Amino acid sequence: FHVNDTNLLGPGMGETDFVPILGALEEIGYDGWVSVEVFDYDPGVESLCRDSIDYLRKCEAQLA
């Protein structure tokens, strides 16, 4: 499952709320990969990766 925000950056870098998206994946029993797919690399690859993972982990924690 590929994720990005509506502004073409990583999750959490725009206005999309990923808590319900991850919740829906959990609800259907999805156990595959969630990968970040960005189209704007201006913030830098390291920042995009770090910030996206941090945000997705925070979203995941809200589901517990």
Side-chain angles (χ1 to χ4, degrees), residues 4-63:
N4 65 15
D5 221 308
T6 55
N7 61 2
L8 306 180
L9 294 172
M13 298 178 189
E15 297 185 17
T16 305
D17 181 2
F18 281 86
V19 173
I21 295 168
L22 295 179
L25 291 174
E26 184 178 271
E27 187 177 312
I28 65 167
Y30 179 77
D31 66 353
W33 293 97
V34 174
S35 61
V36 174
E37 180 180 33
V38 300
F39 298 96
D40 180 352
Y41 290 90
D42 284 340
V45 174
E46 292 83 6
S47 176
L48 287 164
C49 293
R50 180 186 57 249
D51 295 347
S52 295
I53 290 170
D54 288 346
Y55 173 76
L56 290 171
R57 285 182 176 155
K58 288 177 185 174
C59 291
E60 186 179 38
Q62 292 182 43
L63 298 173

